């Protein structure tokens, strides 16, 4: 019997790959090893679960057992892969070698937690997986005052969601503004005002020096010397690809696992997918590029080598009090803006030095402009 395709990880990319393979081949053996429970769920739902009063169980679309049965896979949940032997084409788990025909690394990413001093640094919450959400949900439900580290996409979504539940939110962000690497200042300022109206406080140009226990609360000391008392701390300071296992096996690593247009790493028969993969110099932690990557990789694994093609892609910001959609380059490489603004919202087009449109942002009542603008953008890959 041929060695199976082995996939390490059970996130969106892994499970989308399996679903796509099974549409073509019902029987090729597939084995999955994952540190998680292996349940199928939609990770973006984590950033608005509180206002919807959802528990971790509510977010599960299909249990691990149901998924494994429906898609005819061997699933090893709560299992760590210790090493990869790329010469023998096997993975080592608890002293046992499991051979593979092809190996897919879908090891994801972990939330970056900035270095801090103090005796409460172990209390920092991250919300990058169903298990992390499950372990934090009781603490967050009881908290009245929450500090969010990072005012990027995820931090902003979480802040709006928790403020909608009546929590007092303090956001600490080292840059000068909200979602500074995604939104032009005009849009960022409008979104900031919406959050201020919801009671969110901002500390821009700041980092956290220390977190210390203070009676029943936590005292955060900012780089300015200001202190803030809160009940809990969430880090949303960005993602760091999980590349340790791949690095040990000899795969080329930069910000993520470096792959070619067929998602193959620098090591033969080892591929990378999802939050851990670096494609054309970028780690793209959004559903659409991961979905398209999984669809292309499924064909390659089944003997039809297929280059990944990425069209212009849309990002939806889950801030219901001010809906935002954007695509292309919206800050980097922008030479000029064209802005159409009225009482219902705005459409912002980004142009490069050659006067070519390279990105856009639309808000609120301008959503009907989204797809015409998206079609005007150049392909992402």
């Amino acid at each position: 019997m041929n060695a199976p395709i082995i996939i390490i990880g059970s996130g969106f990319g892994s499970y989308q790959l399996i679903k796509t393979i099974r549409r073509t081949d019902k029987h090729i053996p597939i084995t999955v090893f994952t540190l998680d429970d292996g349940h199928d769920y939609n990770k973006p739902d984590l950033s608005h679960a509180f206002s919807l009063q959802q528990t971790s169980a509510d977010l599960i679309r299909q249990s691990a057992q149901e998924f494994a049965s429906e898609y005819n896979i061997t699933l090893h949940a709560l299992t760590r892969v210790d090493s990869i032997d790329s010469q023998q084409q096997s993975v080592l788990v608890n002293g046992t070698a499991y051979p593979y025909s092809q190996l897919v690394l879908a090891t994801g990413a972990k939330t970056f937690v900035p270095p801090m001093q103090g005796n409460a640094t172990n209390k920092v919450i991250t919300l990058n997986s169903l298990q992390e959400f499950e372990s934090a949900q009781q603490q967050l439900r009881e908290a009245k005052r929450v500090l969010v580290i990072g005012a990027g996409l995820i931090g902003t979504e979480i802040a709006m969601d928790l403020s909608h539940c009546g929590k007092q939110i303090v956001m600490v962000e080292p840059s000068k503004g909200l979602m500074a690497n995604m939104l032009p200042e005009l849009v960022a300022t409008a979104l900031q005002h919406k959050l201020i109206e919801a009671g969110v406080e901002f500390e821009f140009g700041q980092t956290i020096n220390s977190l210390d226990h203070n009676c029943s609360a936590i005292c955060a000391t900012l780089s300015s010397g200001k202190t803030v008392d809160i009940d809990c701390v969430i880090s949303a300071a960005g993602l760091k690809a999980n590349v340790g296992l791949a690095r040990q096996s000899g795969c080329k690593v930069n910000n993520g696992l470096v792959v070619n247009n067929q998602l193959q790493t620098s090591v033969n028969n080892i591929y990378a997918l999802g939050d851990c993969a670096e494609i054309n110099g970028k780690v793209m932690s959004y559903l659409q590029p991961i979905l398209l990557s999984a669809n292309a990789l499924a064909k390659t694994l089944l003997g039809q080598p297929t280059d990944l093609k990425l069209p212009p892609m849309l990002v939806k910001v889950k801030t219901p009090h001010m809906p935002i959609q954007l695509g292309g380059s919206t800050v980097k490489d922008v030479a000029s803006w064209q802005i159409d603004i009225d009482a219902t919202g705005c459409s912002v087009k980004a142009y490069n030095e050659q006067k070519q449109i390279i990105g856009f942002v639309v808000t609120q009542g301008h959503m009907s402009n989204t797809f015409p603008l998206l079609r005007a953008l150049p392909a992402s890959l």
Side-chain angles (χ1 to χ4, degrees), residues 43-48 111 125-129 132 148-162 169 171 173 178-179 181-182 191 195 234-239 275 285-286 315-319:
K43 191 166 78 170
D45 289 344
L46 295 174
S47 62
H48 57 94
T111 301
I125 292 169
T126 55
L127 297 172
N128 192 45
S129 72
E132 290 175 358
V148 178
I149 305 172
L153 174 65
I154 302 301
T156 301
E157 290 180 346
I158 289 171
M160 184 168 280
D161 192 57
L162 288 173
I169 310 297
M171 300 192 79
E173 165 61 43
L178 198 66
M179 293 178 62
N181 65 341
M182 295 182 75
L191 180 58
L195 286 161
I234 300 171
S235 181
L239 297 175
D275 289 357
S285 301
Y286 300 104
V315 176
K316 297 179 181 181
V317 184
K318 293 187 291 298
T319 46

Side-chain angles (χ1 to χ4, degrees), residues 16-310:
Q16 187 60 41
L17 176 63
I18 291 165
K19 292 172 185 177
T20 309
I21 289 172
R22 286 292 179 243
R23 285 199 286 269
T24 301
D25 190 317
K26 304 292 186 188
H27 304 293
I28 188 170
I30 301 173
T31 298
V32 174
F33 293 95
T34 177
L35 284 170
D36 292 334
D37 293 316
H39 302 314
D40 183 21
Y41 71 100
N42 184 33
K43 191 166 78 170
D45 289 344
L46 295 174
S47 62
H48 57 94
F50 291 101
S51 61
L52 297 175
Q53 297 184 322
Q54 292 176 312
T55 66
S56 56
D58 295 328
L59 298 174
I60 296 171
R61 295 185 291 209
Q62 201 170 22
S63 73
Q65 294 76 17
E66 290 168 340
F67 186 90
S69 175
E70 178 173 349
Y71 293 100
N72 185 27
I73 65 169
T74 301
L75 176 64
H76 299 269
L78 304 173
T79 303
R80 178 179 296 278
V81 174
D82 298 312
S83 62
I84 299 166
D85 185 337
S86 59
Q87 298 298 316
Q88 296 297 317
Q89 290 205 174
S90 65
V91 299
L92 190 67
V93 180
N94 294 326
T96 300
Y98 292 82
Y100 62 81
S101 57
Q102 297 167 109
L103 176 64
V104 179
L105 301 174
T107 49
K110 60 178 176 290
T111 301
F112 173 68
V113 178
M116 293 170 276
Q117 302 297 313
N119 58 22
T121 55
N122 63 334
K123 296 297 183 182
V124 176
I125 292 169
T126 55
L127 297 172
N128 192 45
S129 72
L130 189 65
Q131 285 180 313
E132 290 175 358
F133 175 78
E134 185 173 16
S135 66
Q137 60 186 352
Q138 185 64 31
Q139 185 181 350
L140 280 167
R141 192 175 292 119
E142 295 171 355
K144 293 178 180 174
R145 194 161 164 81
V146 180
L147 187 149
V148 178
I149 305 172
L153 174 65
I154 302 301
T156 301
E157 290 180 346
I158 289 171
M160 184 168 280
D161 192 57
L162 288 173
S163 66
H164 185 69
C165 302
K167 312 289 186 189
Q168 290 181 282
I169 310 297
V170 181
M171 300 192 79
V172 177
E173 165 61 43
S175 71
K176 296 271 197 305
L178 198 66
M179 293 178 62
N181 65 341
M182 295 182 75
L183 296 181
E185 189 174 345
L186 167 84
V187 180
T189 300
L191 180 58
Q192 183 180 335
H193 286 317
K194 288 288 184 182
L195 286 161
I196 290 171
E197 287 172 7
V200 177
E201 301 171 29
F202 291 94
E203 296 289 347
F204 290 119
Q206 300 282 330
T207 57
I208 297 177
N209 280 356
S210 62
L211 293 176
D212 293 284
H213 291 288
N214 181 18
C215 298
S216 60
I218 296 171
C219 178
T221 302
L222 308 186
S223 50
S224 64
K226 180 178 178 178
T227 59
V228 182
D229 284 339
I230 65 272
D231 298 312
C232 66
V233 181
I234 300 171
S235 181
L239 297 175
K240 193 172 182 180
N242 293 322
V243 297
L245 189 64
R247 184 183 275 118
Q248 292 168 12
S249 68
C251 294
K252 183 180 178 183
V253 172
N254 190 24
N255 291 322
L257 286 171
V258 178
V259 296
N260 63 16
N261 285 353
Q262 293 181 6
L263 299 168
Q264 181 167 303
T265 68
S266 58
V267 176
N268 194 38
N269 285 328
I270 300 181
Y271 300 81
L273 176 68
D275 289 357
C276 68
E278 182 177 320
I279 304 164
N280 201 27
K282 296 179 183 177
V283 178
M284 290 179 271
S285 301
Y286 300 104
L287 292 188
Q288 189 178 0
I290 296 173
L291 170 66
L292 295 171
S293 295
N295 292 346
L297 182 55
K299 293 178 182 178
T300 296
L301 295 177
L302 293 175
Q304 183 185 341
T306 301
D307 282 356
L308 173 64
K309 304 289 184 187
L310 294 177

